Amino acid sequence: MAKITLGFDIGSCTLKIAVLRGGSVQLETVRLPEKLVDENGVTMPNAFSDFLRRTLREHRIPKGAGALVLPQNQVICRLVTLPKMTVDQLEMNLPYEFADFIQGLPEQYFCDYALCQRLENEDEQTMPMMAAVAAKQQLESYIQMFARAGVRLKVLLPQEMALIQLAQSQGKGHDCFFVDLGQQFTRITVVSGDRVQATRQIALGGKYLDQLIADELGVDLFLAASYKAADHQNVLSLPAVAELCDRLAVEILKVVNFYQFTFRGSELAGIYLTGGGAGIAPLREAIAGAVGLPLLDPAELLPGVPEGEGADSVFAAGAAMRRDGK
């Protein structure tokens, strides 16, 4: 029997689930009940456990080892370079790399790392790695919340590591430029081999489109999000929507230009648009017209997923396709 692993990504509006079985990925996206999740995370853990249990039953999700992608505001993940040292020395020194994030005692936080292959221009006496830190209490809360729904979380990981594992699992030889068009923000992550080469967060997201639609049609934000997804009454053709799409496209172009200038030897084959906003046609068109690079289909990173699908589930898929080990 093929081993089954599950990947979960709790978004602002939807829960994404990825099931990896026999080398193929099955994806499910479920709309979250209103007010169950806000910009700080899950607001009602017990209610979320009940919702997750029902969702797994209704969608016939099989049991398997679980992995959860942590929200950006609950974990810090960055490329760190330290002098060569023992494992004990590394575990002692790693928390100090996150002094700007840790509040309180270092013992209240969990640090982890994944060593990177050293590049030709890097000192042999150094240890490049992707390192992450998160509050232990928050991690324990997620573990308990999923356990109440019958899911045993074995791995909790940052979005950056999910993207690295996704790109590596497909053996991509070029730098992968991900643009996550989320509800709160747009976040750009450039993966090069086994490391994140660059990140940038843009303070424009789907909620701004929702607000435009809500103001235009006189509805609440929850209903406006549904209208946006269905292009109800051609709301995506509003001039204000086009203006916002153009603004975001210009910001993405700035990051592309800066990256290509800074890493002149980089090879960008195109851009992977991910997140809920990836399916908004005017936004895709504005980005494609501005950056001058092809829009790559995220489905090419997701074995078994049909062309044009899965853009909003890449983090969950990356978690499900994780490789065991440090």
Side-chain angles (χ1 to χ4, degrees), residues 7-299:
F8 298 90
D9 176 25
I10 305 171
S12 299
C13 302
T14 58
L15 170 67
K16 278 77 68 174
I17 305 172
V19 182
L20 177 65
R21 175 170 43 188
S24 295
V25 178
Q26 169 195 342
L27 302 176
E28 299 287 350
T29 300
V30 184
R31 185 76 181 268
L32 288 166
E34 192 174 4
K35 298 181 179 179
L36 186 59
V37 174
D38 64 15
E39 58 187 24
N40 295 315
V42 176
T43 58
M44 297 174 283
N46 289 334
F48 181 87
S49 297
D50 293 339
F51 166 76
L52 178 59
R53 186 186 301 108
R54 291 194 306 271
T55 298
L56 296 176
R57 182 174 61 250
E58 292 170 2
H59 291 268
R60 299 182 180 180
I61 303 297
K63 291 185 178 180
L68 173 66
V69 180
L70 296 170
Q72 281 290 332
N73 61 350
Q74 295 176 1
V75 61
I76 293 294
C77 182
R78 62 175 62 144
L79 180 63
V80 171
T81 301
L82 296 176
K84 271 190 174 180
M85 59 183 71
T86 66
V87 172
D88 289 341
Q89 291 172 330
L90 176 58
E91 292 179 350
M92 182 181 299
N93 285 278
L94 198 55
Y96 295 100
E97 294 295 318
F98 300 97
D100 56 342
F101 176 79
I102 290 177
Q103 298 178 357
L105 300 175
E107 292 79 11
Q108 297 174 306
Y109 292 81
F110 178 75
C111 293
D112 204 357
Y113 63 93
L115 292 175
C116 301
Q117 291 186 351
R118 192 179 295 106
L119 302 179
E120 293 182 1
N121 60 346
E122 291 179 324
D123 190 338
E124 293 185 359
Q125 298 305 310
T126 62
M127 300 169 57
M129 66 188 72
M130 293 300 302
V133 62
K136 290 181 179 179
Q137 184 177 3
Q138 182 66 70
L139 301 182
E140 291 168 358
S141 175
Y142 279 121
I143 292 171
Q144 295 171 5
M145 188 168 61
F146 274 75
R148 287 193 295 268
V151 178
R152 181 170 175 247
L153 287 181
K154 296 186 65 176
V155 176
L156 297 95
L157 72 168
Q159 293 180 357
E160 291 88 345
M161 294 307 301
L163 292 180
I164 288 174
Q165 292 175 163
L166 186 62
Q168 285 191 317
S169 69
Q170 300 306 304
K172 292 300 176 183
H174 57 78
D175 293 355
C176 293
F177 198 103
F178 294 96
V179 178
D180 179 40
L181 301 166
Q183 183 69 2
Q184 305 295 332
F185 303 99
T186 293
R187 187 170 176 84
I188 298 172
T189 305
V190 187
V191 173
S192 180
D194 57 3
R195 63 182 66 191
V196 168
Q197 196 77 284
T199 61
R200 170 77 188 282
Q201 185 165 284
I202 301 170
L204 287 174
K207 67 177 182 180
Y208 294 92
L209 282 176
D210 294 346
Q211 188 64 63
L212 287 175
I213 295 169
D215 293 342
E216 181 71 18
L217 300 183
V219 298
D220 61 34
L221 291 175
F222 192 78
L223 189 56
S226 298
Y227 286 178
K228 176 185 66 179
D231 194 14
H232 181 67
Q233 296 182 13
N234 295 320
V235 293
L236 296 181
S237 300
L238 293 172
V241 170
E243 181 181 351
L244 182 59
C245 291
D246 289 340
R247 282 174 55 199
L248 182 53
V250 169
E251 293 300 317
I252 295 171
L253 173 61
K254 291 178 183 177
V255 180
V256 170
N257 289 341
F258 180 79
Y259 183 78
Q260 292 180 322
F261 176 80
T262 305
F263 301 96
R264 294 177 183 270
S266 64
E267 180 186 350
L268 290 182
I271 293 177
Y272 293 103
L273 294 185
T274 68
I280 299 176
L283 186 52
R284 293 178 59 87
E285 294 167 3
I287 294 171
V291 302
L293 290 171
L295 300 184
L296 305 177
D297 188 353

